[in-house]
PDB file of all heavy atoms in Angstrom:
ATOM      1  N   TYR O 435     -23.923   8.533   3.020  1.00 98.00           N
ATOM      2  CA  TYR O 435     -24.876   9.141   2.218  1.00 98.00           C
ATOM      3  C   TYR O 435     -25.521   8.027   1.292  1.00 98.00           C
ATOM      4  O   TYR O 435     -24.852   7.450   0.449  1.00 98.00           O
ATOM      5  CB  TYR O 435     -24.258  10.194   1.346  1.00 98.00           C
ATOM      6  CG  TYR O 435     -24.028  11.538   2.103  1.00 98.00           C
ATOM      7  CD1 TYR O 435     -22.810  11.739   2.633  1.00 98.00           C
ATOM      8  CD2 TYR O 435     -25.061  12.462   2.339  1.00 98.00           C
ATOM      9  CE1 TYR O 435     -22.524  12.902   3.397  1.00 98.00           C
ATOM     10  CE2 TYR O 435     -24.791  13.627   3.116  1.00 98.00           C
ATOM     11  CZ  TYR O 435     -23.564  13.878   3.567  1.00 98.00           C
ATOM     12  OH  TYR O 435     -23.341  14.994   4.315  1.00 98.00           O
ATOM     13  N   ILE O 436     -26.809   7.780   1.534  1.00 98.00           N
ATOM     14  CA  ILE O 436     -27.570   6.702   0.774  1.00 98.00           C
ATOM     15  C   ILE O 436     -28.263   7.421  -0.433  1.00 98.00           C
ATOM     16  O   ILE O 436     -28.957   8.366  -0.263  1.00 98.00           O
ATOM     17  CB  ILE O 436     -28.544   6.021   1.651  1.00 98.00           C
ATOM     18  CG1 ILE O 436     -27.852   5.292   2.791  1.00 98.00           C
ATOM     19  CG2 ILE O 436     -29.441   5.035   0.916  1.00 98.00           C
ATOM     20  CD1 ILE O 436     -27.012   4.067   2.324  1.00 98.00           C
ATOM     21  N   SER O 437     -28.053   6.803  -1.629  1.00 97.00           N
ATOM     22  CA  SER O 437     -28.659   7.291  -2.849  1.00 97.00           C
ATOM     23  C   SER O 437     -30.148   7.010  -2.835  1.00 97.00           C
ATOM     24  O   SER O 437     -30.620   5.934  -2.430  1.00 97.00           O
ATOM     25  CB  SER O 437     -27.982   6.664  -4.018  1.00 97.00           C
ATOM     26  OG  SER O 437     -28.653   6.975  -5.224  1.00 97.00           O
ATOM     27  N   ASN O 438     -30.939   7.938  -3.422  1.00 96.00           N
ATOM     28  CA  ASN O 438     -32.348   7.641  -3.619  1.00 96.00           C
ATOM     29  C   ASN O 438     -32.680   6.869  -4.842  1.00 96.00           C
ATOM     30  O   ASN O 438     -33.827   6.567  -5.050  1.00 96.00           O
ATOM     31  CB  ASN O 438     -33.165   8.984  -3.521  1.00 96.00           C
ATOM     32  CG  ASN O 438     -32.916   9.867  -4.742  1.00 96.00           C
ATOM     33  OD1 ASN O 438     -31.974   9.568  -5.573  1.00 96.00           O
ATOM     34  ND2 ASN O 438     -33.690  10.881  -4.910  1.00 96.00           N
ATOM     35  N   GLY O 439     -31.659   6.640  -5.633  1.00 95.00           N
ATOM     36  CA  GLY O 439     -31.862   5.784  -6.823  1.00 95.00           C
ATOM     37  C   GLY O 439     -32.711   6.452  -7.905  1.00 95.00           C
ATOM     38  O   GLY O 439     -33.323   5.790  -8.766  1.00 95.00           O
ATOM     39  N   ASP O 440     -32.698   7.771  -7.966  1.00 95.00           N
ATOM     40  CA  ASP O 440     -33.522   8.550  -8.952  1.00 95.00           C
ATOM     41  C   ASP O 440     -32.583   9.364  -9.801  1.00 95.00           C
ATOM     42  O   ASP O 440     -32.126  10.348  -9.444  1.00 95.00           O
ATOM     43  CB  ASP O 440     -34.534   9.438  -8.309  1.00 95.00           C
ATOM     44  CG  ASP O 440     -35.487  10.094  -9.287  1.00 95.00           C
ATOM     45  OD1 ASP O 440     -35.286   9.953 -10.478  1.00 95.00           O
ATOM     46  OD2 ASP O 440     -36.370  10.778  -8.792  1.00 95.00           O
ATOM     47  N   SER O 441     -32.269   8.872 -11.076  1.00 92.00           N
ATOM     48  CA  SER O 441     -31.290   9.542 -11.885  1.00 92.00           C
ATOM     49  C   SER O 441     -31.780  10.917 -12.344  1.00 92.00           C
ATOM     50  O   SER O 441     -30.961  11.808 -12.643  1.00 92.00           O
ATOM     51  CB  SER O 441     -30.945   8.727 -13.142  1.00 92.00           C
ATOM     52  OG  SER O 441     -32.155   8.457 -13.901  1.00 92.00           O
ATOM     53  N   SER O 442     -33.092  11.126 -12.380  1.00 92.00           N
ATOM     54  CA  SER O 442     -33.598  12.361 -12.789  1.00 92.00           C
ATOM     55  C   SER O 442     -33.572  13.477 -11.673  1.00 92.00           C
ATOM     56  O   SER O 442     -33.561  14.606 -11.914  1.00 92.00           O
ATOM     57  CB  SER O 442     -35.025  12.233 -13.302  1.00 92.00           C
ATOM     58  OG  SER O 442     -35.941  11.730 -12.308  1.00 92.00           O
ATOM     59  N   ASN O 443     -33.549  12.986 -10.485  1.00 95.00           N
ATOM     60  CA  ASN O 443     -33.451  13.898  -9.289  1.00 95.00           C
ATOM     61  C   ASN O 443     -32.650  13.256  -8.177  1.00 95.00           C
ATOM     62  O   ASN O 443     -33.139  12.871  -7.147  1.00 95.00           O
ATOM     63  CB  ASN O 443     -34.862  14.255  -8.775  1.00 95.00           C
ATOM     64  CG  ASN O 443     -34.832  15.231  -7.648  1.00 95.00           C
ATOM     65  OD1 ASN O 443     -33.931  16.061  -7.577  1.00 95.00           O
ATOM     66  ND2 ASN O 443     -35.821  15.141  -6.736  1.00 95.00           N
ATOM     67  N   LEU O 444     -31.379  13.074  -8.435  1.00 97.00           N
ATOM     68  CA  LEU O 444     -30.500  12.309  -7.621  1.00 97.00           C
ATOM     69  C   LEU O 444     -30.337  12.960  -6.262  1.00 97.00           C
ATOM     70  O   LEU O 444     -29.932  14.175  -6.246  1.00 97.00           O
ATOM     71  CB  LEU O 444     -29.123  12.076  -8.305  1.00 97.00           C
ATOM     72  CG  LEU O 444     -28.225  11.021  -7.671  1.00 97.00           C
ATOM     73  CD1 LEU O 444     -28.751   9.609  -7.704  1.00 97.00           C
ATOM     74  CD2 LEU O 444     -26.878  11.027  -8.383  1.00 97.00           C
ATOM     75  N   GLN O 445     -30.612  12.299  -5.144  1.00 97.00           N
ATOM     76  CA  GLN O 445     -30.493  12.799  -3.821  1.00 97.00           C
ATOM     77  C   GLN O 445     -29.824  11.781  -2.974  1.00 97.00           C
ATOM     78  O   GLN O 445     -29.854  10.599  -3.182  1.00 97.00           O
ATOM     79  CB  GLN O 445     -31.863  13.119  -3.270  1.00 97.00           C
ATOM     80  CG  GLN O 445     -32.640  14.196  -3.972  1.00 97.00           C
ATOM     81  CD  GLN O 445     -32.142  15.606  -3.679  1.00 97.00           C
ATOM     82  OE1 GLN O 445     -31.924  15.951  -2.550  1.00 97.00           O
ATOM     83  NE2 GLN O 445     -31.933  16.399  -4.707  1.00 97.00           N
ATOM     84  N   PHE O 446     -29.084  12.305  -1.906  1.00 98.00           N
ATOM     85  CA  PHE O 446     -28.435  11.470  -0.923  1.00 98.00           C
ATOM     86  C   PHE O 446     -28.892  11.898   0.461  1.00 98.00           C
ATOM     87  O   PHE O 446     -28.879  13.012   0.849  1.00 98.00           O
ATOM     88  CB  PHE O 446     -26.911  11.552  -1.015  1.00 98.00           C
ATOM     89  CG  PHE O 446     -26.364  10.969  -2.311  1.00 98.00           C
ATOM     90  CD1 PHE O 446     -26.254  11.759  -3.472  1.00 98.00           C
ATOM     91  CD2 PHE O 446     -25.890   9.628  -2.346  1.00 98.00           C
ATOM     92  CE1 PHE O 446     -25.677  11.280  -4.614  1.00 98.00           C
ATOM     93  CE2 PHE O 446     -25.390   9.115  -3.521  1.00 98.00           C
ATOM     94  CZ  PHE O 446     -25.279   9.883  -4.672  1.00 98.00           C
ATOM     95  N   ILE O 447     -29.163  10.855   1.298  1.00 97.00           N
ATOM     96  CA  ILE O 447     -29.663  11.057   2.623  1.00 97.00           C
ATOM     97  C   ILE O 447     -28.604  10.515   3.550  1.00 97.00           C
ATOM     98  O   ILE O 447     -28.227   9.362   3.477  1.00 97.00           O
ATOM     99  CB  ILE O 447     -30.987  10.338   2.848  1.00 97.00           C
ATOM    100  CG1 ILE O 447     -32.058  10.662   1.822  1.00 97.00           C
ATOM    101  CG2 ILE O 447     -31.547  10.658   4.293  1.00 97.00           C
ATOM    102  CD1 ILE O 447     -32.398  12.101   1.784  1.00 97.00           C
ATOM    103  N   GLU O 448     -28.156  11.328   4.526  1.00 97.00           N
ATOM    104  CA  GLU O 448     -27.194  10.931   5.535  1.00 97.00           C
ATOM    105  C   GLU O 448     -27.807   9.888   6.488  1.00 97.00           C
ATOM    106  O   GLU O 448     -28.698  10.307   7.138  1.00 97.00           O
ATOM    107  CB  GLU O 448     -26.588  12.121   6.279  1.00 97.00           C
ATOM    108  CG  GLU O 448     -25.160  11.950   6.754  1.00 97.00           C
ATOM    109  CD  GLU O 448     -25.103  10.929   7.916  1.00 97.00           C
ATOM    110  OE1 GLU O 448     -25.762  11.161   8.958  1.00 97.00           O
ATOM    111  OE2 GLU O 448     -24.339   9.896   7.712  1.00 97.00           O
ATOM    112  N   SER O 449     -27.215   8.779   6.566  1.00 97.00           N
ATOM    113  CA  SER O 449     -27.862   7.668   7.274  1.00 97.00           C
ATOM    114  C   SER O 449     -26.868   6.791   8.179  1.00 97.00           C
ATOM    115  O   SER O 449     -27.159   5.684   8.470  1.00 97.00           O
ATOM    116  CB  SER O 449     -28.591   6.668   6.275  1.00 97.00           C
ATOM    117  OG  SER O 449     -29.396   7.412   5.422  1.00 97.00           O
ATOM    118  N   ALA O 450     -25.735   7.456   8.474  1.00 97.00           N
ATOM    119  CA  ALA O 450     -24.737   6.569   9.176  1.00 97.00           C
ATOM    120  C   ALA O 450     -25.289   6.018  10.518  1.00 97.00           C
ATOM    121  O   ALA O 450     -24.977   4.916  10.870  1.00 97.00           O
ATOM    122  CB  ALA O 450     -23.456   7.400   9.380  1.00 97.00           C
TER     123      ALA O 450
END
Side-chain angles (χ1 to χ4, degrees):
Y435 285 97
I436 296 292
S437 172
N438 67 350
D440 183 357
S441 60
S442 62
N443 183 29
L444 193 62
Q445 296 284 311
F446 291 88
I447 308 300
E448 206 292 300
S449 309

